[in-house]
Amino acid sequence: MSQEFYTRVTQAVINGDKELVVSLAKEGLETGLKPLDIIRQGLTPGMDVVGDRFSSGEYFLPHLVMAGDTMKSALAELEPALKAAGSTRESLGTVVIGTVAGDIHEIGKSLVGTMLTANGFVVHDLGVDVPTEKFVEAVVDTEADIVGMSALLTTTMRNQDSIIKELTEAGLRDRVKVLIGGAPVTSEWADDIGADGYAEDAIGAVKLARRLVGVE
Ligand code: HCB
């Protein structure tokens, strides 16, 4: 399928056209495209354009909302194929994942959760705007091997640091690995706060999670 197809998907996200994006997602799958390629080459670039136009003042909050809803509809269409494409059925470990306190961005976190599930992890998704103590409680309750924290705002990134500090205070840091991500997050930030790793996208998160549980 040509670049023109991905450009149409990108444009549908920018326009907030849910109906079109869902029918394009279906069309892409029917013609044999990989769901991840549709996400990476079609949907995500659309979100980046909307984000950039929002930063420059060209777009406003309703545009962000519409783009988010549009991407969610497309992901719902792609999810069964994403899960079916998972590489293993054995359980590799337990992951607790959520978006940190003060932050309601859910799409990236949910996509990472879906991909981890598809690749053999048992995932407990705590949702968005998750208080620090809830991450800690969930690590205890689920005996998690990995805690994944998403933060999309420069103002909420620091809550990833708070969670690590709370895990350390609760004596849990040695038994749980910390995997962080989100648009403003970097590997330098991961080093600064003592996380075990940073993943730029859902594929990176799966690779890193496998490494953290000693599979690779
Ligand atoms: Co939002 N927003 N937003 N937003 N938003 C961003 C994030 C900005 C960068 C846009 C911009 O200005 N360029 C910006 C943040 C600037 C900053 O802090 N540096 C921003 C802002 C400012 C805001 C508000 C403050 C706007 C306002 O109210 N004035 C507000 C904050 C609300 C809050 O959280 N308290 C806000 C609100 C919204 C919504 C709700 C309207 C909507 C989210 C809808 C939803 O999630 N249901 C939204 C959206 C859609 C965006 C953009 C356009 C897209 C985010 C997205 O879903 N990307 C975003 C711009 C952008 O990121 N390009 C913009 C697609 C997913 C797949 O990518 O990066 O989330 P991802 O996840 C990746 C990756 O990071 C990694 O893997 C994922 C999958 O590949 N990853 C992990 C993520 N989490 C991980 C965890 C791990 O453990 C490992 C890897």
Side-chain angles (χ1 to χ4, degrees):
M1 182 91 56
S2 65
Q3 181 54 46
E4 190 254 328
F5 171 82
Y6 292 119
T7 306
R8 280 166 66 208
V9 176
T10 302
Q11 198 55 49
V13 172
I14 297 169
N15 295 343
D17 190 336
K18 277 200 222 178
E19 222 173 290
L20 179 60
V21 90
V22 168
S23 81
L24 286 171
K26 272 192 194 135
E27 185 187 326
L29 291 178
E30 278 162 15
T31 52
L33 289 185
K34 292 193 184 129
L36 263 180
D37 286 341
I38 300 175
I39 294 169
R40 288 202 286 194
Q41 297 185 55
L43 298 171
T44 306
M47 299 299 259
D48 290 341
V49 170
V50 173
D52 290 347
R53 289 184 185 171
F54 178 78
S55 310
S56 69
E58 186 185 342
Y59 275 11
F60 300 96
L61 196 54
H63 295 101
L64 287 186
V65 175
M66 270 168 56
D69 286 350
T70 306
M71 174 129 184
K72 274 171 66 181
S73 307
L75 288 178
E77 189 62 38
L78 297 174
E79 190 169 287
L82 272 179
K83 288 195 169 154
S87 60
T88 174
R89 298 266 74 86
E90 67 187 292
S91 173
L92 297 182
T94 299
V95 181
V96 159
I97 193 164
T99 303
V100 300
D103 197 323
I104 61 168
H105 293 86
E106 68 171 334
I107 296 168
K109 175 270 302 164
S110 299
L111 183 55
V112 171
T114 300
M115 289 299 296
L116 288 171
T117 304
N119 284 278
F121 288 88
V122 174
V123 175
H124 297 268
D125 188 336
L126 305 180
V128 297
D129 190 14
V130 180
T132 297
E133 57 280 10
K134 209 171 154 195
F135 275 99
V136 178
E137 276 166 29
V139 166
V140 175
D141 293 347
T142 64
E143 299 185 0
D145 302 291
I146 298 176
V147 57
M149 309 164 189
S150 188
L152 269 284
L153 301 171
T154 40
T155 48
T156 58
M157 276 166 65
R158 67 185 68 145
N159 292 328
Q160 295 176 327
D161 185 26
S162 309
I163 295 165
I164 292 178
K165 291 200 166 93
E166 289 290 324
L167 287 170
T168 307
E169 270 183 33
L172 297 166
R173 187 63 189 95
D174 291 340
R175 71 166 226 227
V176 68
K177 303 288 184 189
V178 175
L179 165 55
I180 62 169
V185 175
T186 59
S187 52
E188 288 74 31
W189 173 245
D191 290 344
D192 284 354
I193 65 174
D196 295 294
Y198 149 78
E200 192 185 353
D201 59 19
I203 291 286
V206 171
K207 278 194 190 142
L208 188 51
R210 287 172 63 85
R211 211 178 317 136
L212 291 176
V213 295
V215 178
E216 272 167 14

